Amino acid sequence: MKAKITVLPGDGIGVEVTTQAIAILQAVASKYGHEFSFEEALIGGIAIDKTGTALPPETITTAEASDAILLGAVGGYKWDNPSAPVRPEQGLLAIRKHFGLFANLRPVKAYPALASYAPLRAELLEGVDMLFVRELTGGIYFGARQEQGDNDYAYDTEYYSVPEVERVAHIAFRAAQGRRKKVASVDKANVLASMRLWRKTVTRVHDDYPDVALEHVLVDSCAMHLLTRPASFDVLVASNMFGDILSDEASVLAGSLGMLPSASLGSSRMGLYEPVHGSAPDIAGQGKANPTGAILSAAMMLRYSLDLEAEAKAVETAVEKALANGARTGDTAPRGTKALSTTEYAAEIMNNL
Ligand code: IPM
Ligand code: MN
């Protein structure tokens, strides 16, 4: 098949990790007889530097003409000034919103090869395989706000409508049907009105999925259970902010934040694929970044936007084999052992493809 992919490397290690993800996609294309073309565009801090805005209109035009978007990361020290009117993160939020990408899929797996070095006891990690479905275009990220300005107050609003909760709940239940048929819905219904609406709506959507078991978990308790009984979770569905926080927490189960991929999907096949990690300005440009999250995001692109399941599986298997053979970047290498550079590590994955 032919596919057009927009690449938005962004800032920091975003450039290094997307380079490796492209290399893997190119290898997949030549192995399976596909034709993928890549067009690069600006987002984040680099876009602010070059155009004054974090998401230039040319980037949207390029992305609109493509089948999928591969994104690195945005942000860095240079743009960290909290009172700056334009910030790199605005670009990311705006592109998610522009394409209506309301569901962010973040799978978290504990790889046996990494389990004995994880901060959590290895026996707790056995069988850990969960999927976060994070609501991505609503909630407190997009609700009414008052920037501080000259005031001595500021606020953000957590707002959810029934249709916003319904559509992401459907995605979660459908995903569960293809897995272990369990959904944990995360909320704070004991305190927040928006979360009581969330719980009521998820409960109603559940009526359509009698084959799936639903549990409601309060977010604070969920944060604990993710570390005490991680293997019991299958699909978790959460609001924009709760999903953001809990998926970073859950990355510890996978061994490193650098391991986690994500897919942001809407109501068409077009999707945005990005590692869960940020731009890591502390290690940017040093060849130390872990490209696994970006490479596995490319696998999710093959699966969800390009409908190439066998190819997606092949990439995932190549990652598992490389890990089993001992390939490690600095973040996953046990103390005192050798860590590969970003390029060397990606080459190990490539060799197993
Ligand atoms: C993420 C990031 C973003 C978010 C930031 C960079 C805007 O943390 O994708 O998880 O909060 O959604
Ligand atoms: Mn985050």
Side-chain angles (χ1 to χ4, degrees):
M1 75 169 302
K2 275 191 184 177
K4 272 190 182 172
I5 297 160
T6 297
V7 183
L8 309 176
D11 309 313
I13 61 167
V15 183
E16 295 155 74
V17 300
T18 47
T19 300
Q20 301 310 327
I22 293 170
I24 292 282
L25 285 170
Q26 275 163 336
V28 165
S30 71
K31 183 169 175 200
Y32 292 84
H34 303 304
E35 218 174 288
F36 299 157
S37 62
F38 300 88
E39 188 163 350
E40 216 178 275
L42 297 171
I43 196 166
I46 188 173
I48 293 175
D49 287 354
K50 293 197 176 163
T51 72
T53 154
L55 182 64
E58 304 80 62
T59 297
I60 296 191
T61 311
T62 303
E64 273 175 347
S66 66
D67 300 290
I69 304 166
L70 177 69
L71 190 142
V74 299
Y77 304 132
K78 185 175 173 188
W79 308 280
D80 261 354
N81 174 10
S83 51
V86 285
R87 280 171 289 107
E89 291 77 9
Q90 291 166 340
L92 189 50
L93 300 184
I95 197 166
R96 290 169 177 172
K97 192 78 175 176
H98 178 85
F99 287 101
L101 307 172
F102 62 85
N104 183 219
L105 273 45
R106 299 185 160 186
V108 178
K109 261 170 89 165
Y111 293 93
L114 300 181
S116 52
Y117 305 104
L120 234 59
R121 288 204 310 277
E123 78 239 34
L124 276 173
L125 294 174
E126 225 165 276
V128 167
D129 181 359
M130 64 183 88
L131 175 69
F132 279 89
V133 178
R134 170 190 176 195
E135 200 290 325
L136 201 61
T137 52
I140 199 164
Y141 275 57
F142 293 93
R145 66 187 47 172
Q146 173 64 58
E147 292 279 356
Q148 206 169 340
D150 289 335
N151 308 316
D152 58 357
Y153 64 86
Y155 62 77
D156 301 276
T157 314
E158 175 82 344
Y159 171 100
Y160 271 113
S161 67
V162 167
E164 281 176 314
V165 182
E166 279 175 347
R167 61 186 185 181
V168 77
H170 280 291
I171 300 265
F173 286 118
R174 269 185 237 130
Q177 285 182 320
R179 301 172 45 102
R180 304 199 312 278
K181 298 192 166 56
K182 292 198 286 184
V183 169
S185 172
V186 182
D187 65 42
K188 189 70 186 175
N190 53 346
V191 178
L192 304 175
S194 54
M195 291 290 102
R196 284 192 280 277
L197 179 108
W198 178 280
R199 186 176 287 209
K200 218 167 73 184
T201 308
V202 172
T203 303
R204 214 170 40 234
V205 172
H206 180 223
D207 289 344
D208 295 353
Y209 304 88
D211 54 328
V212 178
L214 169 66
E215 68 165 329
H216 298 283
V217 270
L218 294 171
V219 62
D220 47 352
S221 147
C222 184
M224 176 188 66
H225 287 304
L226 279 172
L227 303 183
T228 55
R229 57 169 179 98
S232 74
F233 291 104
D234 181 16
V235 175
L236 296 101
V237 62
S239 65
N240 204 339
M241 185 159 74
F242 291 166
D244 178 47
I245 298 167
L246 294 178
S247 56
D248 265 40
E249 183 195 354
S251 76
V252 174
L253 306 165
S256 162
L257 189 53
M259 298 295 296
L260 298 198
S262 89
S264 302
L265 307 171
S267 45
S268 76
R269 280 214 93 87
M270 156 68 146
L272 183 151
Y273 301 84
E274 56 171 322
V276 172
H277 66 71
S279 62
D282 54 324
I283 57 160
Q286 299 172 32
K288 289 184 185 169
N290 183 346
T292 312
I295 289 169
L296 291 175
S297 298
M300 293 185 88
M301 174 191 292
L302 293 166
R303 172 170 298 125
Y304 295 112
S305 281
L306 309 184
D307 206 12
L308 300 172
E309 177 61 30
E311 287 83 338
K313 272 263 157 57
V315 173
E316 289 162 352
T317 305
V319 168
E320 277 170 33
K321 282 189 182 157
L323 288 172
N325 293 343
R328 300 284 186 277
T329 41
D331 55 331
T332 50
R335 225 174 262 285
T337 64
K338 180 174 151 36
L340 301 176
S341 73
T342 306
T343 318
E344 291 165 340
Y345 176 87
E348 289 298 317
I349 296 173
M350 192 77 88
N351 290 341
N352 284 288
L353 192 66

